[in-house]
Every structure is written in structure tokens, then in C-alpha cells.
Amino acid sequence: MVSNADDKEKVIADDVPFARHETKQSVTSDLARQKNDERRKAEVDENSYGLLYLFRRIGSLNPDGYRFYVIGTIAAMTTGMVFPVIAVIYGKTLYGFSQPDASVRRHDGNMNALWFFIAAIVSSIAIAVQNCVFALAASNLTTKLRTLSFHAILRQDKLRIVQARSHL
């Protein structure tokens, strides 16, 4: 048991903590600040769009184009992989020129020329597929965006006509 009045006040102050400190702000302004902080967290900064977010956004506009994007991406990766392969073939070619025997140099030269030719064919096919597929996907996406914007313009005009008729 508490014996004097000072001890009673101390126990009461410890048992019932006040939710507000001496900030000279009202509870309403604290709630408003908390809501604003939550809104800022929920908002997406226009300068911080990630690449994955942009791909998802474009993919949601044109869901039929996913297969075009996948095929085009694979073709683009193949196109990018051709250059390191050519570097390896080039290194083997330089090594082949250092062979002392002429028939071995000739054989290595022919094999390396064949590998260069195969790399050129693969590169040409990959570049053609990449360009065609991405052009087709871009065309479909542009058509979809134009259709959506046209429908939005028509809805705005329809709303203006209805508003104009209601004011008559």
C-alpha cells in the first residue's frame, strides 16, 4: 500500500501513461500527419519506376503479347551471345596460325572459317527474329494504346453531350 500522497500520484502517473507528449500539437494534427505519411508510402514516385514494374505494366496492357516478348528476349540474348562466341573463335584462329605444320594450319583455318560462318548465320537469324517479333509486339501494343485512348476520348465526348442535355 502507498502511504503518502506524493507516492500515490507517482503510482497513478506510472499506471496511466499519457498518449501525448508535450508537442504543442493536437491529436488531430498527429492523425493528419500519420495519414499523409501513409499516403506518401502508398504513392509511387515517378522517378523510381523499376524495369520489372514497367514490363508488368506494359504486359498488362497487352497480355497477348507476352509470347512475343519472350521470343524476342530469347532472340536478343542469342544475338548478345554471338559476340563472345566470335571472340573465342577468333582466339582459336590466331592459335591456328601459330601451328608449324601447313596442313594443320589449313585444317584449323577451314574449321574456324566454318565456325565463323555458322556464327554469322545464327546471328543473322537471331537479329531477324528479334527485329520482327519486337516490331510485331510494338505494333500490337500501339494499336491497343490507340484504341484505349480513342475510347477514352469518346467517353469524354459522351459525358459532355449528356451534361449539355441535362442543362437544357
Side-chain angles (χ1 to χ4, degrees):
M1 303 246 7
V2 179
S3 61
N4 70 23
D6 290 335
D7 290 338
K8 284 183 182 179
E9 288 179 19
K10 191 182 265 186
V11 169
I12 291 172
D14 289 341
D15 284 344
V16 183
F18 294 114
R20 191 171 153 235
H21 301 285
E22 295 297 323
T23 61
K24 298 182 181 175
Q25 292 181 356
S26 67
V27 175
T28 308
S29 64
D30 287 339
L31 291 175
R33 186 170 22 88
Q34 287 176 356
K35 277 190 174 183
N36 285 337
D37 290 343
E38 289 174 7
R39 281 188 200 137
R40 284 189 198 118
K41 288 179 185 176
E43 288 179 359
V44 176
D45 185 20
E46 291 180 5
N47 297 327
S48 68
Y49 291 135
L51 188 63
L52 189 61
Y53 170 78
L54 295 174
F55 279 139
R56 269 194 242 131
R57 179 83 188 257
I58 289 173
S60 67
L61 288 174
N62 190 13
D64 298 333
Y66 270 122
R67 60 190 158 121
F68 293 128
Y69 298 131
V70 169
I71 293 170
T73 303
I74 291 170
M77 287 190 292
T78 304
T79 301
M81 288 187 283
V82 165
F83 296 109
V85 169
I86 288 176
V88 170
I89 297 170
Y90 188 70
K92 286 185 177 187
T93 302
L94 291 178
Y95 178 73
F97 286 139
S98 68
Q99 295 294 329
D101 188 13
S103 64
V104 174
R105 270 196 318 259
R106 178 83 166 182
H107 179 265
D108 287 348
N110 288 339
M111 286 303 293
N112 290 326
L114 176 66
W115 284 115
F116 272 122
F117 184 68
I118 291 171
I121 289 173
V122 169
S123 177
S124 298
I125 292 171
I127 289 171
V129 169
Q130 173 189 351
N131 288 339
C132 289
V133 170
F134 279 146
L136 186 61
S139 172
N140 290 344
L141 183 63
T142 303
T143 303
K144 179 78 171 187
L145 289 173
R146 286 181 180 175
T147 304
L148 289 173
S149 61
F150 181 68
H151 286 295
I153 291 170
L154 288 180
R155 276 195 306 270
Q156 290 173 0
D157 287 344
K158 183 179 177 182
L159 287 174
R160 287 185 190 145
I161 291 170
V162 169
Q163 287 174 354
R165 286 185 182 169
S166 65
H167 283 59
L168 290 177

